[in-house]
Amino acid sequence: MDYPGNLFVVAAPSGAGKSSLVKALMEVDAGVRPSVSHTTRAPRGQELHGREYHFVGDDVFSAMAEAGDFLEWARVHGHRYGTSRQAIEARVASGGDVVLEIDWQGALQIRRRFANAVLIFVLPPSWEELRARLTRRGEDSASAIELRLRNAREELAQARHFDYVIINEVFERALFDLKAIVHAQRLKYASQARACADAFRALDIL
């Protein structure tokens, strides 16, 4: 599938800071919009249905998966997460850019369906800092944090399959790196040819 818009896929282990980075990116770049995933887990903290996620039951999620409504879906930390096919395709087909926050399994599924998807992996600066961040956010029990750290070892090993890697040690620098990736992608020949096809045709270079 070849669309004028760009699809940016951001993955990271829990606590690496991908959600904060993506939120900050959208605050400074109105051209990038999120895709709200579906999940079977319960809301956390101030999360709202339809804003952070579409929170659905197992039966609803299963029905959507069987109907082919998800571009990708995966089980993460005991819960299922899925990306709406229709929402993504509509946005990029209209020339807009979409950013997805998903796990590495979903990211690689996206790559198989969207050859032009840009895969970005966010790394923590160290294991000690990752543990500290998971502890500071106060959302998980000690056993849940240990599970997330064990899962993170498998997750970090997948970074080699991504196009770009950002080390989120200093938040401002990591955000600069993320903005640079988005801007550079928009300037690639293929992206410009898709987004500015009229100009390319007028110049006889299509």
Side-chain angles (χ1 to χ4, degrees), residues 97-112:
D97 291 339
V98 176
V99 60
L100 289 177
E101 296 177 56
I102 56 178
D103 77 299
W104 68 268
Q105 301 170 74
L108 298 185
Q109 288 181 49
I110 292 286
R111 168 56 59 78
R112 290 194 288 270

Side-chain angles (χ1 to χ4, degrees), residues 90-201:
R91 173 73 181 173
V92 295
S94 68
D97 291 339
V98 176
V99 60
L100 289 177
E101 296 177 56
I102 56 178
D103 77 299
W104 68 268
Q105 301 170 74
L108 298 185
Q109 288 181 49
I110 292 286
R111 168 56 59 78
R112 290 194 288 270
R113 292 167 174 79
F114 278 79
N116 296 321
V118 181
L119 273 53
I120 305 165
F121 203 97
V122 179
L123 295 175
S126 67
W127 285 109
E128 292 76 14
E129 178 60 21
L130 184 61
R131 179 186 293 276
R133 291 177 185 178
L134 289 170
T135 302
R136 282 197 301 268
R137 71 184 190 182
E139 294 179 354
D140 299 303
S141 64
S143 60
I145 289 174
E146 291 305 317
L147 175 61
R148 291 185 184 278
L149 288 170
R150 288 196 299 272
N151 289 339
R153 292 197 176 276
E154 178 184 7
E155 293 166 336
L156 294 182
Q158 310 305 318
R160 71 191 69 185
H161 302 300
F162 284 64
D163 301 307
Y164 298 95
V165 171
I166 295 173
I167 298 178
N168 185 15
E169 181 174 12
V170 177
F171 184 82
E172 291 75 13
R173 186 164 64 228
L175 178 58
F176 177 87
D177 291 342
L178 182 57
K179 291 189 294 184
I181 292 168
V182 170
H183 187 64
Q185 178 64 24
R186 290 172 176 163
L187 297 179
K188 283 188 174 181
Y189 182 92
S191 295
Q192 290 281 59
R194 293 194 303 270
C196 306
D198 290 344
F200 275 59
R201 279 191 289 269

Side-chain angles (χ1 to χ4, degrees), residues 46-111:
Q46 301 301 311
E47 290 179 336
L48 294 176
H49 177 75
R51 188 179 67 183
E52 282 78 16
Y53 289 98
H54 296 295
F55 297 98
V56 299
D58 281 308
D59 54 344
V60 172
F61 194 100
S62 295
M64 293 181 69
E66 290 173 8
D69 292 340
F70 294 132
L71 188 62
E72 60 78 29
W73 73 267
R75 186 178 297 276
V76 184
H77 305 308
H79 303 288
R80 288 185 290 175
Y81 295 79
T83 302
S84 168
R85 177 187 300 273
Q86 182 179 10
I88 296 296
E89 292 182 350
R91 173 73 181 173
V92 295
S94 68
D97 291 339
V98 176
V99 60
L100 289 177
E101 296 177 56
I102 56 178
D103 77 299
W104 68 268
Q105 301 170 74
L108 298 185
Q109 288 181 49
I110 292 286
R111 168 56 59 78

